[in-house]
Amino acid sequence: MDRSVTPFAGRAVIDNVFVENLYFSAVVGPDAWGRNDKHQQVLVSVYWYNDISGEDNINSTLSYSKMSKDIIEAIEGHKKGFPSVQAVMDLILFVAVDKNWGGTALELEIHLPKALLQAEGGLRYRRGYVPHGQATDRMPFPRSKLYPNTVIGDIHAACIIGINPHERETKQQIKVQLAIEEDLEAGSPMGIKSHWQGLTKNALEIVEASAFQTVEALAANLGDSLLHNWPAKTITVSVTKPFAQAFVGGSGAQVTRYKEMTR
C-alpha cells in the first residue's frame, strides 16, 4: 500500500477535484519589506478528496466552479485583509464546512510568490485537513511528498562548488529549494514571514561562504545547519547546479534531514 495516502475504511482515497492558482490581491501579514498594510499576490489552490465514481453527472461530485466562487466571495469579503496565511486557510476551511462541500479530506496551498526578497519562488504553505476540522501537520496526501508544510523556492546563490580546477577558481550560481516541516512542540510556530526571511538569509550566508566539492555535501551541510538553527522537524534541501553540464538544464542533489539526526 502507498503510505503517502490516507487509508479510509481500509483503503486509500486519492481521487480529488481541484482548483489551482486562484489569484487574489490581498493584505496577508507583512510583505517582503516587512510592511503590514500592503497588498501582495496570493495564489490559492484547493484539493478536495473524495471517491470519484466516474458517473457523468455534476450532482455526483463537487463542482469546481462552485468551489472557486465560494472561495472568491469569502476572500474578497475581507476588505481589511488577513493577519497571516493561517487566517486565509482557516477562512477557506470554514467555507468548506459552511457551504457543505463534504468530501473525505481537504488540502490547501497558499502561494505568496513575492513574499521573500531572496527567494525567486516565494513561499508556499500547505496544510491538510480531515473531517471535523482536525488539522494534520504531516499531510497524508500525494503532494505532501513535494511540500511537507512550507516551501521556500529558488534561492539563488553563488559559491565555490565542484571538483574541476576551473570550478575551484570562480564562484558559480546555484539554486536552492527548502521544504520545511515545522516543529510545533519547539515553541511558537515558524509560520510568520519574518522567520522565513531570517531562515532564507541564513541559508544564503551558509551557501555563499561554502566551498564544497560536491552538491551532496553542500546539501547535507546546509540541512544540518538549518535544523540546528531553526525549530523544524525536517528540512529537505534541493541544490541545483545549472552550469554543471553544457547540454543539461541542471544537475544536483536532494537530501532530507530530521531533527533527531542532529541531537
Side-chain angles (χ1 to χ4, degrees):
M1 175 181 168
D2 186 349
R3 297 296 181 183
S4 67
V5 297
T6 306
F8 293 99
R11 57 191 172 77
V13 176
I14 58 175
D15 297 348
N16 66 88
V17 173
F18 59 87
V19 173
E20 291 185 326
N21 295 330
L22 269 173
Y23 176 86
F24 299 94
S25 173
V27 174
V28 184
D31 68 359
W33 297 96
R35 300 172 298 183
N36 291 301
D37 59 347
K38 299 298 182 181
H39 280 241
Q40 58 183 302
Q41 296 179 39
V42 182
L43 299 175
V44 175
S45 297
V46 181
Y47 304 88
W48 176 83
Y49 287 82
N50 204 26
D51 284 325
I52 294 178
S53 66
E55 182 181 351
D56 195 15
N57 186 337
I58 188 61
N59 295 321
S60 66
T61 185
L62 174 64
S63 166
Y64 46 76
S65 296
K66 171 178 168 50
M67 197 188 314
S68 299
K69 181 180 178 181
D70 290 344
I71 295 171
I72 291 170
E73 288 180 350
I75 291 181
E76 291 185 345
H78 278 248
K79 302 299 184 182
K80 294 183 179 180
F82 301 87
S84 66
V85 172
Q86 187 60 51
V88 180
M89 290 184 162
D90 289 343
L91 175 64
I92 296 174
L93 181 60
F94 172 81
V95 168
V97 175
D98 184 60
K99 299 295 185 178
N100 195 29
W101 288 1
T104 304
L106 194 69
E107 189 175 10
L108 306 178
E109 177 186 290
I110 308 294
H111 181 200
L112 305 178
K114 304 290 187 179
L116 298 171
L117 295 176
Q118 297 166 313
E120 185 179 357
L123 271 174
R124 292 180 185 267
Y125 296 82
R126 293 190 77 91
R127 294 292 185 273
Y129 296 92
V130 293
H132 312 299
Q134 179 183 354
T136 172
D137 291 306
R138 186 184 294 277
M139 287 156 302
F141 305 110
R143 292 178 186 81
S144 65
K145 290 182 176 179
L146 298 177
Y147 304 108
N149 274 166
T150 304
V151 170
I152 298 174
D154 297 347
I155 303 170
H156 291 271
C159 65
I160 296 294
I161 183 76
I163 61 174
N164 297 306
H166 58 273
E167 292 182 301
R168 308 309 299 173
E169 297 175 357
T170 305
K171 289 186 175 184
Q172 60 180 293
Q173 289 289 323
I174 65 166
K175 184 172 64 176
V176 177
Q177 178 167 284
L178 305 173
I180 303 107
E181 180 184 0
E182 298 172 34
D183 186 357
L184 300 180
E185 298 176 358
S188 59
M190 292 175 62
I192 303 171
K193 271 183 282 183
S194 59
H195 289 175
W196 299 123
Q197 290 167 350
L199 188 147
T200 303
K201 181 180 178 181
N202 188 200
L204 195 60
E205 292 170 346
I206 293 170
V207 171
E208 293 193 333
S210 69
F212 291 99
Q213 294 189 5
T214 66
V215 290
E216 292 88 341
L218 173 57
N221 178 267
L222 180 57
D224 290 341
S225 298
L226 293 177
L227 268 184
H228 182 268
N229 296 340
W230 299 88
K233 281 186 177 180
T234 68
I235 292 184
T236 297
V237 179
S238 175
V239 176
T240 302
K241 290 174 61 178
F243 301 102
Q245 302 179 75
F247 299 100
V248 176
S251 303
Q254 176 175 292
V255 303
T256 298
R257 291 294 180 262
Y258 303 86
K259 177 66 76 175
E260 54 266 27
M261 295 172 63
T262 64
R263 290 173 178 168

